[in-house]
Amino acid sequence: MREFVRFWQRPFSLVVMGALVLVTALGVTVIPGTIGRTPTARAAGTCDLHSARGDVQHVIYVQFDNTHFTRDNPNVPSDLEQMPHLLNFIEQNGVLLSNHHTPLISHTATDILTSLTGVYGDRHGVPVANSFRYFTPSGTSNTGVSFAYWTSPVFDPSNPNPPIDTTYNMLTAQGTNAPAPWVPYTRAGCNVGSVATANTILENIGIDIPTVFGANSPEAQEAQADPNQATADFVGLGIHCATGGSLCSDANNGKPDLLAQEPGGYSGFNALYGNKYVAPQISPNGPMTDLDGNVIQSPTHNIGFPGFDGMSAGVSLSYVAAMQEHGVPVTYAYISDAHDAHPTGPAFGPGSAGYVAALAAYDSAFAKFFARLAADGINRSNTLFVFTADEGDHFAGGTPSPAGCDGVTTPCTYSQIGEINANLAGLLATEKGITTPFRVHSDSAPTIYITGNPAPGTPTVRTFEQGLAGITAVNPMTGQTDTVAQAMADPVEMKLLHMITADPARTATLTMFADPNYFLFAGAPNCNSPCVTQQPGFAWNHGDFQPDITTTWLGMVGPGVRHMGVDHDVWSDHTDVRPTMMMLLGLQDDYAHDGRALFEVAYDWAVPLGVIAHRETLRRLAATYKQLNACVGQFGLDSLKVSTTALASNSPGDATYVNLEGQLATLGGSRDALAAQMSALLEGTTFGGQAINEQQALALTAQGQALLDQMRALAGN
């Protein structure tokens, strides 16, 4: 379930607005040869992608919510195994990378935005959660939500007045609005469709409608008079158009696509926002229907956008197909998870009848989708297909019955199912005597904001951290006593994990990574009501650092993509999706990526000559770079062990904390400097036409391995 909806169904005391952004070139080390090579704007209808052989005419990108390639129960086929039309399409025509990973925290907003941009949250503005607490200049705290349109300011849904924080939701490391992911396509003459894809469409009617349409517009008036209809009309769908065409013209209710801080400028481009203006262009004969012919409508029966939890495969893929058939050759889409009965629950366990039925419907939708595309002449020979999932998630539940059930032939039932809700304030007060006021983004990886925003290392913060490390809870499923916190990161470690933005108001006191069975919230500082309960409404947790959450998958099919089937060897993460797509499409961004192009999955003819000439050297450099720079690479996970030891320590004079924090800061600074050099070499070779210095590449690889060894040794000690 998409966490924005899920969040508001939760007990909470803090929400923060994290925003996704693309990193601009301003203040970023520019790879020589990259700037100035972006294709100039072309007339709509002449979509001019620059793939190696000129055969890519369409791009179809689909990102699932919480959909698994691996099995959660060894007897129950995985999500993708129960969608054979999709799985076979990928395996037989391209590659599925099973060793693919998320950033941290591992959440829908962060993960999708990282995939779209190719940079981590510290460079797109949404590194922590789908919401966050931020402090105003007066010292009070407000709440913001990461799901907001690309150019919107911080969205505070609890504030009926204009937001206090006018910082861009999508924020670069230099504090500017991030470059938008559709820009390279529209500059190349391609219209780009967005189907419920994070922050590329309107996400809410509170701040996004005034931002795009104007505070006194008819759309804003509708939002006031009939919010349900306004949500169905304006949220969730959009088309960003190239210049010169009629699709996004004023006559079709097109609005200027305002990207005032886009590198190189972005004037003369229009967009359509919402089903009210998109549907007449892609479904001219009547309301949009799903792939089974049902009129698409919201839970309140308003025709139009069905809500993010209503984006089943049959709905989302129908929008994609209709866009592709009506002059929109590049489409990005989101599909909601299948393990909840949307929109109100309950949650299913692996092999539950409702779960299996939902996956069967998804599989049927993909069969119809591929057949419809084939009839349109859209297929693997002329289309780059990209499929991935935002994150994995951890099932919180007991053993299914009957024993050995597989879900498909024998349904599984669960007498115990649901995450364990824990009152963090109550546990701290009753177990540790800590009553320091704080707010949290309620989560399995709660982001904690101590009132007054005290500095790291101060007595208040240190006492809180030490207490947090030791709280326990009796697990209602097992009866055993669990240590709730499994890892902790303060700003020193969060910076190392790419979780600190250019906006200091978004920086938390610390992030706690809990036992993934637990969901933490800040309730009353007592346990008069149970501090620990099982919540059957939700059974799939994410945000944490454990492998079942941070390991996901990436599938690619199309011209230039090798037919590799399932590959378990190539280590990748979400930052690699964007540069790989840009390489295969012959396009460029106006900034350097944090990820790298996965040239291992491409045929030689689809790879830049500089890469082919030094393929093995670059492969070793890239592999070391990923382990050094990725949030859940070796360096990041080892540093998290060190951070946890430091924050939990209670040595005389706090010597252990001071020593380990200092070493983390030093090694983190060395990592940042070395990773920048590695990235510059990889970007320059892939996008700048540069030849590499073999000896330099080997030296950087050796230096990277030395840093990995240093952090591994520190974690071991």
Side-chain angles (χ1 to χ4, degrees), residues 13-19 125 128 130-146 153-169 171 207 439-441 447-453 501 503-509:
S13 58
L14 148 64
V15 198
V16 181
M17 169 179 156
V128 287
N130 303 304
S131 57
F132 63 77
R133 174 69 54 176
Y134 62 91
F135 291 91
T136 68
S138 65
T140 60
S141 58
N142 278 40
T143 311
V145 202
S146 62
V154 171
F155 173 41
D156 182 356
S158 66
N159 183 2
N161 300 311
I164 295 172
D165 188 344
T166 57
T167 306
Y168 281 111
N169 187 17
L171 199 67
I207 192 62
R439 305 279 187 147
V440 304
H441 165 258
T447 309
I448 298 169
Y449 300 77
I450 294 179
T451 301
N453 204 20
T501 72
D503 182 4
R506 304 183 194 187
T507 301
T509 307

Side-chain angles (χ1 to χ4, degrees), residues 498-566:
H498 304 294
M499 295 172 64
I500 300 292
T501 72
D503 182 4
R506 304 183 194 187
T507 301
T509 307
L510 75 155
T511 299
M512 169 191 176
F513 296 94
D515 179 319
N517 288 307
Y518 286 78
F519 183 93
L520 286 301
F521 63 95
N526 60 65
C527 287
N528 294 335
S529 297
C531 269
V532 179
T533 58
Q534 189 166 24
Q535 167 56 267
F538 301 100
W540 298 89
N541 278 341
H542 43 266
D544 277 313
F545 68 98
Q546 292 83 359
D548 61 338
I549 293 172
T550 60
T551 304
T552 182
W553 55 277
L554 169 65
M556 302 186 79
V557 171
V561 179
R562 293 173 60 195
H563 294 190
M564 299 171 62
V566 177

Side-chain angles (χ1 to χ4, degrees), residues 53 168 362 429 595:
R53 292 179 174 173
Y168 281 111
Y362 278 27

Side-chain angles (χ1 to χ4, degrees), residues 439-478:
R439 305 279 187 147
V440 304
H441 165 258
S442 303
D443 201 80
S444 186
T447 309
I448 298 169
Y449 300 77
I450 294 179
T451 301
N453 204 20
T458 56
T460 297
V461 175
R462 291 295 299 123
T463 299
F464 191 97
E465 291 166 345
Q466 292 160 354
L468 193 67
I471 60 172
T472 61
V474 176
N475 188 319
M477 289 188 290
T478 65

Side-chain angles (χ1 to χ4, degrees), residues 145-288:
V145 202
S146 62
F147 289 121
Y149 183 60
W150 209 268
T151 60
S152 288
V154 171
F155 173 41
D156 182 356
S158 66
N159 183 2
N161 300 311
I164 295 172
D165 188 344
T166 57
T167 306
Y168 281 111
N169 187 17
M170 311 299 293
L171 199 67
T172 69
Q174 292 71 46
T176 57
N177 192 205
W182 58 85
V183 168
Y185 298 111
T186 54
R187 283 177 174 166
C190 310
N191 298 326
V192 180
S194 290
V195 180
T197 306
N199 298 33
T200 64
I201 37 76
L202 306 196
E203 296 270 3
N204 60 77
I205 61 173
I207 192 62
D208 285 354
I209 284 181
T211 296
V212 169
F213 293 109
N216 299 314
S217 63
E219 292 83 2
Q221 293 172 20
E222 181 181 325
Q224 292 291 325
D226 192 347
N228 288 335
Q229 188 61 57
T231 299
D233 279 345
F234 306 123
V235 172
L237 301 165
I239 298 174
H240 301 275
C241 286
T243 58
S246 62
L247 183 61
C248 292
S249 65
D250 294 343
N252 291 334
N253 295 291
K255 297 293 181 182
D257 206 344
L258 299 176
L259 298 172
Q261 296 183 318
E262 193 70 26
Y266 196 71
S267 61
F269 294 86
N270 279 7
L272 300 177
Y273 298 99
N275 183 82
K276 182 174 182 176
Y277 301 136
V278 169
Q281 306 309 315
I282 65 173
S283 182
N285 296 321
M288 273 294 303

Side-chain angles (χ1 to χ4, degrees), residues 359-392:
L359 289 172
Y362 278 27
D363 182 54
S364 174
F366 272 99
K368 295 171 184 175
F369 177 64
F370 289 132
R372 180 168 166 180
L373 292 182
D376 295 328
I378 301 172
N379 53 54
R380 66 184 185 183
S381 70
N382 58 19
T383 305
L384 177 62
F385 292 90
V386 179
F387 303 96
T388 189
D390 47 14
E391 66 267 340

